[in-house]
Structure formats: C-alpha cells, structure tokens
Amino acid sequence: DTAVSQTPKYLVTQMGNDKSIKCEQNLGHDTMYWYKQDSKKFLKIMFSYNNKELIINETVPNRFSPKSPDKAHLNLHINSLELGDSAVYFCASSQDWVGLHYNEQFFGPGTRLTVL
Amino acid sequence: GQNIDQPTEMTATEGAIVQINCTYQTSGFNGLFWYQQHAGEAPTFLSYNVLDGLEEKGRFSSFLSRSKGYSYLLLKELQMKDSASYLCAVRGNSGYSTLTFGKGTMLLVSP
C-alpha cells in the first residue's frame, strides 16, 4: 500500500507551459507539504496545508499555486514554467501541523520536472 | 532564520562505523531530524532528537547537544545499502512542524 503517492513521476515540458502535479496520501494525516529539491539536492519547503487550509507559504513565486480539494490531496499547479523550475518536487504529509511532538513527515516518491 | 551545515561527502568501508555531523544556527529550535535518501528516491525518516543526548535505533544512533547547536548520526556495521544521502533537518519553534533541511551528506560505502 502506497502511503504518499505522486503523479506523474517524470514531467518534461517546454518553457512557458502550464503543468500540474498531483499528490495523495492514505495515512489519514491532516497536514501536507510541497518541497522542491534542486540539482544540488537541497530540499526546501514551499507550502504547507492543514486540513485543506494554507498555513505556510515560503515566498514562492505566485506562478506556483497549490490546491487542496480535501485533506488527502494536495496538488501543485505551475504557470508559465521557467528553466529554473527544473527540479524534483516532493509531496509529504504528517499527522498534523503541530511542532510539539514527533510528527514525522512521510515523503512521496517525487516528480522530476524538466523544463526545456 | 536557520542555517544548517553538514559535510558534502563522506566515504567509509563496509563493516566500519561512520559519524555524520550537523551543526545548526537557528532563531528557534524544536527538534532535529535525520532522513536517509537513496538516489532517485524519497527521503525516509531515521531519527528524531529534541532533548540532549543519544537516541539509539538498531545500527543507527543520533546525538544532540542543544547548547552547542550540534548533532551527529552514527552508523555502525556499515552495509553497502547504507550508501545514500543523509539529511539533517531542524524544526523551528514557530509552532508548526515545518522542517528546514541541510544540504545533505552523500555517504559512499565501499567493499
């Protein structure tokens, strides 16, 4: 059983296009995240949602628009793709948003986005 | 803000012990995590420290000193499958579970 799944696994597209990445978790968690991992393997938080509500937005360009139709899904839509958007995007989830206990994050397999 | 430093690469031999260090300077601290990431795969959780001291979990142990802003991950009886990137991540005290990751240490285990 897959805990956190993402589609697609690979995405190759032209500059200027609009694309979406989907994420689903079946762990019953309340909180979901999007991370970007660049070519130097630096993993950086982009967004965090708790129970469909945005709680963290780490100064990401507004070309990136997350959407959470329900607490098990967090999708990422990217408009007007740029070369610098090429990276691996990871979705993750945790039990809740509270930073007062263990609250391990579970990561999806990643989506490798290549912008040509 | 948060600044997290860890060595870029390390090499070790199968069966040996290796220690991966992580130092951090943060505006707040509410826990330190270690994740393992094999090439082309997702990060997976290894350990969590919020109080000073050593946490042991099988072949892996993690140590934390909050006063020194320092942690290490100790891997014993190294196996070839331990070749991976090891990510140190700090949780701030904003009340949220958001993690700030270091750039990772690539460990290569040779026969």
Side-chain angles (χ1 to χ4, degrees):
Chain A
D1 288 341
T2 304
V4 183
S5 59
Q6 294 178 229
T7 54
K9 189 165 175 63
Y10 299 97
L11 187 53
V12 181
T13 188
Q14 299 286 333
M15 227 172 22
N17 283 351
D18 303 337
K19 290 293 177 185
S20 291
I21 306 172
K22 295 186 176 182
C23 177
E24 176 180 1
Q25 54 94 5
N26 63 5
L27 297 166
H29 287 167
D30 284 345
T31 306
M32 296 184 72
Y33 310 82
W34 276 112
Y35 286 89
K36 178 180 180 181
Q37 189 169 46
D38 61 24
S39 57
K40 296 182 179 177
K41 309 300 182 189
F42 187 35
L43 192 62
K44 190 171 180 185
I45 183 73
M46 298 174 69
F47 300 103
S48 176
Y49 268 70
N50 184 69
N51 222 346
K52 304 190 298 176
E53 300 294 326
L54 178 68
I55 55 172
I56 296 287
N57 179 343
E58 288 290 327
T59 59
V60 176
N62 58 16
R63 298 183 297 105
F64 290 79
S65 51
K67 282 189 173 53
S68 183
D70 55 61
K71 74 173 192 178
H73 295 85
L74 180 61
N75 303 325
L76 184 64
H77 187 76
I78 315 171
N79 288 327
S80 304
L81 278 157
E82 300 177 357
L83 294 176
D85 297 333
S86 294
V88 180
Y89 291 84
F90 285 100
C91 176
S93 73
S94 63
Q95 183 181 335
D96 55 47
W97 60 266
V98 179
L100 295 177
H101 56 84
Y102 193 86
N103 221 8
E104 169 193 350
Q105 291 186 21
F106 294 81
F107 284 79
T111 296
R112 182 172 293 276
L113 171 65
T114 303
V115 182
L116 303 175
Chain B
Q2 321 258 37
N3 186 39
I4 300 170
D5 288 313
Q6 40 181 143
T8 304
E9 289 181 353
M10 296 183 73
T11 58
T13 308
E14 203 173 10
I17 299 173
V18 72
Q19 178 175 312
I20 302 175
N21 296 324
C22 171
T23 57
Y24 61 90
Q25 299 90 38
T26 59
S27 54
F29 177 84
N30 191 20
L32 187 142
F33 294 75
W34 284 96
Y35 279 78
Q36 180 191 59
Q37 186 177 24
H38 285 101
E41 296 183 10
T44 55
F45 171 81
L46 287 178
S47 69
Y48 168 68
N49 295 70
V50 68
L51 299 176
D52 291 351
L54 189 67
E55 293 284 340
E56 297 188 78
K57 209 175 182 182
R59 293 189 299 116
F60 293 3
S61 303
S62 57
F63 171 83
L64 175 68
S65 169
R66 289 171 296 169
S67 62
K68 294 181 180 177
Y70 169 68
S71 173
Y72 67 72
L73 180 69
L74 193 70
L75 293 80
K76 302 176 188 173
E77 300 169 17
L78 280 171
Q79 302 174 10
M80 298 294 288
K81 67 178 182 179
D82 296 330
S83 292
S85 184
Y86 291 84
L87 309 174
C88 174
V90 172
R91 184 170 64 193
N93 62 358
S94 66
Y96 294 113
S97 247
T98 308
L99 298 179
T100 300
F101 282 84
K103 294 189 176 182
T105 298
M106 178 62 68
L107 173 66
L108 179 62
V109 180
S110 55

PDB file of all heavy atoms in Angstrom, chain A residues 70-92:
ATOM      1  N   ASP A  70      -9.297  18.205  -0.697  1.00  0.00           N
ATOM      2  CA  ASP A  70      -9.638  17.596   0.583  1.00  0.00           C
ATOM      3  C   ASP A  70      -8.334  17.293   1.302  1.00  0.00           C
ATOM      4  O   ASP A  70      -7.259  17.447   0.716  1.00  0.00           O
ATOM      5  CB  ASP A  70     -10.488  16.328   0.407  1.00  0.00           C
ATOM      6  CG  ASP A  70      -9.831  15.308  -0.495  1.00  0.00           C
ATOM      7  OD1 ASP A  70      -8.729  14.842  -0.147  1.00  0.00           O
ATOM      8  OD2 ASP A  70     -10.382  15.001  -1.574  1.00  0.00           O
ATOM      9  N   LYS A  71      -8.403  16.855   2.551  1.00  0.00           N
ATOM     10  CA  LYS A  71      -7.160  16.765   3.320  1.00  0.00           C
ATOM     11  C   LYS A  71      -6.252  15.628   2.863  1.00  0.00           C
ATOM     12  O   LYS A  71      -5.108  15.558   3.277  1.00  0.00           O
ATOM     13  CB  LYS A  71      -7.457  16.668   4.814  1.00  0.00           C
ATOM     14  CG  LYS A  71      -7.988  15.346   5.287  1.00  0.00           C
ATOM     15  CD  LYS A  71      -8.079  15.337   6.806  1.00  0.00           C
ATOM     16  CE  LYS A  71      -8.317  13.932   7.329  1.00  0.00           C
ATOM     17  NZ  LYS A  71      -8.352  13.898   8.817  1.00  0.00           N
ATOM     18  N   ALA A  72      -6.744  14.755   1.988  1.00  0.00           N
ATOM     19  CA  ALA A  72      -5.914  13.657   1.483  1.00  0.00           C
ATOM     20  C   ALA A  72      -5.193  14.011   0.190  1.00  0.00           C
ATOM     21  O   ALA A  72      -4.373  13.233  -0.300  1.00  0.00           O
ATOM     22  CB  ALA A  72      -6.772  12.408   1.260  1.00  0.00           C
ATOM     23  N   HIS A  73      -5.507  15.159  -0.375  1.00  0.00           N
ATOM     24  CA  HIS A  73      -4.938  15.540  -1.660  1.00  0.00           C
ATOM     25  C   HIS A  73      -4.358  16.947  -1.605  1.00  0.00           C
ATOM     26  O   HIS A  73      -4.972  17.860  -1.042  1.00  0.00           O
ATOM     27  CB  HIS A  73      -6.013  15.498  -2.763  1.00  0.00           C
ATOM     28  CG  HIS A  73      -6.543  14.138  -3.043  1.00  0.00           C
ATOM     29  ND1 HIS A  73      -7.572  13.578  -2.300  1.00  0.00           N
ATOM     30  CD2 HIS A  73      -6.176  13.208  -3.973  1.00  0.00           C
ATOM     31  CE1 HIS A  73      -7.811  12.352  -2.765  1.00  0.00           C
ATOM     32  NE2 HIS A  73      -7.000  12.114  -3.762  1.00  0.00           N
ATOM     33  N   LEU A  74      -3.176  17.092  -2.218  1.00  0.00           N
ATOM     34  CA  LEU A  74      -2.575  18.426  -2.365  1.00  0.00           C
ATOM     35  C   LEU A  74      -1.911  18.458  -3.731  1.00  0.00           C
ATOM     36  O   LEU A  74      -0.948  17.745  -3.965  1.00  0.00           O
ATOM     37  CB  LEU A  74      -1.549  18.705  -1.271  1.00  0.00           C
ATOM     38  CG  LEU A  74      -0.872  20.076  -1.342  1.00  0.00           C
ATOM     39  CD1 LEU A  74      -1.908  21.205  -1.207  1.00  0.00           C
ATOM     40  CD2 LEU A  74       0.194  20.221  -0.259  1.00  0.00           C
ATOM     41  N   ASN A  75      -2.468  19.267  -4.623  1.00  0.00           N
ATOM     42  CA  ASN A  75      -1.944  19.359  -5.974  1.00  0.00           C
ATOM     43  C   ASN A  75      -1.153  20.648  -6.129  1.00  0.00           C
ATOM     44  O   ASN A  75      -1.353  21.617  -5.395  1.00  0.00           O
ATOM     45  CB  ASN A  75      -3.105  19.316  -6.978  1.00  0.00           C
ATOM     46  CG  ASN A  75      -3.947  18.053  -6.809  1.00  0.00           C
ATOM     47  OD1 ASN A  75      -3.423  16.990  -6.498  1.00  0.00           O
ATOM     48  ND2 ASN A  75      -5.257  18.179  -6.984  1.00  0.00           N
ATOM     49  N   LEU A  76      -0.241  20.627  -7.101  1.00  0.00           N
ATOM     50  CA  LEU A  76       0.590  21.813  -7.350  1.00  0.00           C
ATOM     51  C   LEU A  76       0.479  22.177  -8.819  1.00  0.00           C
ATOM     52  O   LEU A  76       0.823  21.372  -9.686  1.00  0.00           O
ATOM     53  CB  LEU A  76       2.046  21.511  -6.988  1.00  0.00           C
ATOM     54  CG  LEU A  76       3.030  22.683  -7.110  1.00  0.00           C
ATOM     55  CD1 LEU A  76       2.688  23.789  -6.120  1.00  0.00           C
ATOM     56  CD2 LEU A  76       4.466  22.200  -6.885  1.00  0.00           C
ATOM     57  N   HIS A  77      -0.011  23.380  -9.087  1.00  0.00           N
ATOM     58  CA  HIS A  77      -0.119  23.852 -10.461  1.00  0.00           C
ATOM     59  C   HIS A  77       0.945  24.926 -10.680  1.00  0.00           C
ATOM     60  O   HIS A  77       1.130  25.813  -9.830  1.00  0.00           O
ATOM     61  CB  HIS A  77      -1.521  24.435 -10.722  1.00  0.00           C
ATOM     62  CG  HIS A  77      -1.731  24.784 -12.147  1.00  0.00           C
ATOM     63  ND1 HIS A  77      -1.962  23.825 -13.115  1.00  0.00           N
ATOM     64  CD2 HIS A  77      -1.709  25.974 -12.789  1.00  0.00           C
ATOM     65  CE1 HIS A  77      -2.091  24.418 -14.289  1.00  0.00           C
ATOM     66  NE2 HIS A  77      -1.951  25.715 -14.120  1.00  0.00           N
ATOM     67  N   ILE A  78       1.646  24.816 -11.801  1.00  0.00           N
ATOM     68  CA  ILE A  78       2.707  25.783 -12.097  1.00  0.00           C
ATOM     69  C   ILE A  78       2.411  26.441 -13.441  1.00  0.00           C
ATOM     70  O   ILE A  78       2.270  25.747 -14.467  1.00  0.00           O
ATOM     71  CB  ILE A  78       4.095  25.112 -12.161  1.00  0.00           C
ATOM     72  CG1 ILE A  78       4.293  24.142 -10.990  1.00  0.00           C
ATOM     73  CG2 ILE A  78       5.192  26.176 -12.152  1.00  0.00           C
ATOM     74  CD1 ILE A  78       5.531  23.275 -11.099  1.00  0.00           C
ATOM     75  N   ASN A  79       2.297  27.747 -13.435  1.00  0.00           N
ATOM     76  CA  ASN A  79       2.044  28.506 -14.657  1.00  0.00           C
ATOM     77  C   ASN A  79       3.350  29.015 -15.250  1.00  0.00           C
ATOM     78  O   ASN A  79       4.335  29.247 -14.537  1.00  0.00           O
ATOM     79  CB  ASN A  79       1.159  29.724 -14.351  1.00  0.00           C
ATOM     80  CG  ASN A  79      -0.265  29.338 -14.048  1.00  0.00           C
ATOM     81  OD1 ASN A  79      -0.795  28.369 -14.599  1.00  0.00           O
ATOM     82  ND2 ASN A  79      -0.889  30.069 -13.147  1.00  0.00           N
ATOM     83  N   SER A  80       3.338  29.219 -16.559  1.00  0.00           N
ATOM     84  CA  SER A  80       4.459  29.869 -17.251  1.00  0.00           C
ATOM     85  C   SER A  80       5.802  29.313 -16.786  1.00  0.00           C
ATOM     86  O   SER A  80       6.658  30.046 -16.274  1.00  0.00           O
ATOM     87  CB  SER A  80       4.420  31.381 -17.002  1.00  0.00           C
ATOM     88  OG  SER A  80       3.186  31.915 -17.389  1.00  0.00           O
ATOM     89  N   LEU A  81       5.990  28.026 -16.989  1.00  0.00           N
ATOM     90  CA  LEU A  81       7.189  27.351 -16.497  1.00  0.00           C
ATOM     91  C   LEU A  81       8.471  28.002 -17.007  1.00  0.00           C
ATOM     92  O   LEU A  81       8.564  28.429 -18.173  1.00  0.00           O
ATOM     93  CB  LEU A  81       7.147  25.883 -16.893  1.00  0.00           C
ATOM     94  CG  LEU A  81       6.306  25.030 -15.943  1.00  0.00           C
ATOM     95  CD1 LEU A  81       5.810  23.769 -16.619  1.00  0.00           C
ATOM     96  CD2 LEU A  81       7.119  24.698 -14.703  1.00  0.00           C
ATOM     97  N   GLU A  82       9.467  28.063 -16.114  1.00  0.00           N
ATOM     98  CA  GLU A  82      10.775  28.633 -16.428  1.00  0.00           C
ATOM     99  C   GLU A  82      11.854  27.557 -16.271  1.00  0.00           C
ATOM    100  O   GLU A  82      11.644  26.549 -15.590  1.00  0.00           O
ATOM    101  CB  GLU A  82      11.067  29.805 -15.482  1.00  0.00           C
ATOM    102  CG  GLU A  82      10.060  30.929 -15.565  1.00  0.00           C
ATOM    103  CD  GLU A  82      10.339  32.047 -14.564  1.00  0.00           C
ATOM    104  OE1 GLU A  82      11.295  31.912 -13.752  1.00  0.00           O
ATOM    105  OE2 GLU A  82       9.604  33.053 -14.599  1.00  0.00           O
ATOM    106  N   LEU A  83      13.002  27.810 -16.895  1.00  0.00           N
ATOM    107  CA  LEU A  83      14.100  26.846 -16.818  1.00  0.00           C
ATOM    108  C   LEU A  83      14.475  26.532 -15.366  1.00  0.00           C
ATOM    109  O   LEU A  83      14.755  25.388 -15.006  1.00  0.00           O
ATOM    110  CB  LEU A  83      15.333  27.378 -17.558  1.00  0.00           C
ATOM    111  CG  LEU A  83      15.214  27.542 -19.068  1.00  0.00           C
ATOM    112  CD1 LEU A  83      16.488  28.159 -19.627  1.00  0.00           C
ATOM    113  CD2 LEU A  83      14.929  26.205 -19.741  1.00  0.00           C
ATOM    114  N   GLY A  84      14.439  27.559 -14.526  1.00  0.00           N
ATOM    115  CA  GLY A  84      14.817  27.401 -13.120  1.00  0.00           C
ATOM    116  C   GLY A  84      13.844  26.574 -12.299  1.00  0.00           C
ATOM    117  O   GLY A  84      14.128  26.239 -11.144  1.00  0.00           O
ATOM    118  N   ASP A  85      12.713  26.245 -12.897  1.00  0.00           N
ATOM    119  CA  ASP A  85      11.747  25.405 -12.185  1.00  0.00           C
ATOM    120  C   ASP A  85      12.123  23.923 -12.261  1.00  0.00           C
ATOM    121  O   ASP A  85      11.523  23.096 -11.569  1.00  0.00           O
ATOM    122  CB  ASP A  85      10.331  25.593 -12.766  1.00  0.00           C
ATOM    123  CG  ASP A  85       9.822  27.009 -12.597  1.00  0.00           C
ATOM    124  OD1 ASP A  85      10.254  27.685 -11.641  1.00  0.00           O
ATOM    125  OD2 ASP A  85       9.013  27.441 -13.441  1.00  0.00           O
ATOM    126  N   SER A  86      13.089  23.609 -13.110  1.00  0.00           N
ATOM    127  CA  SER A  86      13.542  22.218 -13.230  1.00  0.00           C
ATOM    128  C   SER A  86      14.092  21.746 -11.881  1.00  0.00           C
ATOM    129  O   SER A  86      15.005  22.356 -11.321  1.00  0.00           O
ATOM    130  CB  SER A  86      14.630  22.093 -14.299  1.00  0.00           C
ATOM    131  OG  SER A  86      14.113  22.383 -15.579  1.00  0.00           O
ATOM    132  N   ALA A  87      13.516  20.689 -11.363  1.00  0.00           N
ATOM    133  CA  ALA A  87      13.871  20.180 -10.037  1.00  0.00           C
ATOM    134  C   ALA A  87      13.048  18.925  -9.788  1.00  0.00           C
ATOM    135  O   ALA A  87      12.226  18.535 -10.624  1.00  0.00           O
ATOM    136  CB  ALA A  87      13.550  21.213  -8.956  1.00  0.00           C
ATOM    137  N   VAL A  88      13.278  18.318  -8.626  1.00  0.00           N
ATOM    138  CA  VAL A  88      12.400  17.239  -8.178  1.00  0.00           C
ATOM    139  C   VAL A  88      11.473  17.821  -7.114  1.00  0.00           C
ATOM    140  O   VAL A  88      11.938  18.463  -6.168  1.00  0.00           O
ATOM    141  CB  VAL A  88      13.185  16.048  -7.599  1.00  0.00           C
ATOM    142  CG1 VAL A  88      12.220  14.946  -7.151  1.00  0.00           C
ATOM    143  CG2 VAL A  88      14.172  15.510  -8.622  1.00  0.00           C
ATOM    144  N   TYR A  89      10.188  17.616  -7.282  1.00  0.00           N
ATOM    145  CA  TYR A  89       9.198  18.139  -6.346  1.00  0.00           C
ATOM    146  C   TYR A  89       8.665  16.973  -5.519  1.00  0.00           C
ATOM    147  O   TYR A  89       8.192  15.972  -6.055  1.00  0.00           O
ATOM    148  CB  TYR A  89       8.069  18.834  -7.101  1.00  0.00           C
ATOM    149  CG  TYR A  89       8.545  20.116  -7.753  1.00  0.00           C
ATOM    150  CD1 TYR A  89       9.169  20.086  -9.001  1.00  0.00           C
ATOM    151  CD2 TYR A  89       8.417  21.341  -7.111  1.00  0.00           C
ATOM    152  CE1 TYR A  89       9.641  21.247  -9.588  1.00  0.00           C
ATOM    153  CE2 TYR A  89       8.885  22.512  -7.690  1.00  0.00           C
ATOM    154  CZ  TYR A  89       9.509  22.451  -8.924  1.00  0.00           C
ATOM    155  OH  TYR A  89       9.990  23.605  -9.503  1.00  0.00           O
ATOM    156  N   PHE A  90       8.779  17.122  -4.197  1.00  0.00           N
ATOM    157  CA  PHE A  90       8.313  16.091  -3.279  1.00  0.00           C
ATOM    158  C   PHE A  90       7.096  16.586  -2.516  1.00  0.00           C
ATOM    159  O   PHE A  90       7.083  17.696  -1.984  1.00  0.00           O
ATOM    160  CB  PHE A  90       9.400  15.728  -2.261  1.00  0.00           C
ATOM    161  CG  PHE A  90      10.511  14.900  -2.806  1.00  0.00           C
ATOM    162  CD1 PHE A  90      11.720  15.485  -3.162  1.00  0.00           C
ATOM    163  CD2 PHE A  90      10.361  13.519  -2.961  1.00  0.00           C
ATOM    164  CE1 PHE A  90      12.765  14.710  -3.666  1.00  0.00           C
ATOM    165  CE2 PHE A  90      11.406  12.753  -3.459  1.00  0.00           C
ATOM    166  CZ  PHE A  90      12.600  13.347  -3.821  1.00  0.00           C
ATOM    167  N   CYS A  91       6.122  15.717  -2.436  1.00  0.00           N
ATOM    168  CA  CYS A  91       4.983  15.923  -1.568  1.00  0.00           C
ATOM    169  C   CYS A  91       5.248  15.145  -0.281  1.00  0.00           C
ATOM    170  O   CYS A  91       5.935  14.112  -0.302  1.00  0.00           O
ATOM    171  CB  CYS A  91       3.745  15.374  -2.281  1.00  0.00           C
ATOM    172  SG  CYS A  91       2.233  15.437  -1.329  1.00  0.00           S
ATOM    173  N   ALA A  92       4.760  15.637   0.841  1.00  0.00           N
ATOM    174  CA  ALA A  92       4.927  14.939   2.115  1.00  0.00           C
ATOM    175  C   ALA A  92       3.679  15.166   2.958  1.00  0.00           C
ATOM    176  O   ALA A  92       2.887  16.073   2.693  1.00  0.00           O
ATOM    177  CB  ALA A  92       6.171  15.441   2.854  1.00  0.00           C
TER     178      ALA A  92
END
